């Protein structure tokens, strides 16, 4: 979870993630973790800036051969 997603928007400083969206997100992550667990896998969840967290995870795991990600599209005015 990137803390920057829970700050105000660039325009008007409105919250990016309200309570209903946050609840949906948490429930979805919980469901995904449970589904993966039933299939013999797991889900790693961390809080922090992805550029820091991913680097730390790679260091901890030690045998990472690839990292795949997507970047959030930002609207420009």
């Amino acid at each position: 979870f990137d803390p920057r997603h829970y700050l105000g928007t660039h325009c008007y400083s409105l919250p990016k993630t309200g309570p209903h969206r946050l609840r949906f997100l948490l429930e979805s992550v919980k469901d995904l973790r449970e589904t993966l667990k039933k299939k013999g896998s797991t889900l790693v969840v961390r809080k922090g800036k992805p550029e820091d967290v991913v680097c730390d995870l790679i260091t901890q795991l030690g045998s990472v051969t690839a990292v795949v990600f997507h970047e959030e599209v930002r609207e420009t005015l």
Side-chain angles (χ1 to χ4, degrees), residues 8-44:
T9 59
H10 298 288
C11 299
Y12 310 112
S13 197
L14 297 170
K16 289 182 181 180
T17 305
H20 299 293
R21 183 176 181 187
L22 180 58
R23 183 180 317 115
F24 173 78
L25 179 61
L26 292 173
E27 289 172 356
S28 297
V29 169
K30 181 180 177 184
D31 183 66
L32 177 59
R33 176 180 270 160
E34 291 171 2
T35 300
L36 290 170
K37 188 175 180 180
K38 289 176 186 175
K39 297 182 180 287
S41 190
T42 189
L43 178 67
V44 176

Side-chain angles (χ1 to χ4, degrees), residues 28-75:
S28 297
V29 169
K30 181 180 177 184
D31 183 66
L32 177 59
R33 176 180 270 160
E34 291 171 2
T35 300
L36 290 170
K37 188 175 180 180
K38 289 176 186 175
K39 297 182 180 287
S41 190
T42 189
L43 178 67
V44 176
V45 179
R46 296 286 187 269
K47 176 184 172 188
K49 294 180 180 179
E51 57 270 26
D52 298 330
V53 173
V54 172
C55 184
D56 291 343
L57 282 173
I58 291 170
T59 301
Q60 289 175 10
L61 296 172
S63 62
V64 176
T65 57
V67 176
V68 179
F69 67 95
H70 80 279
E71 185 174 355
E72 180 179 3
V73 176
R74 292 187 175 226
E75 294 181 33

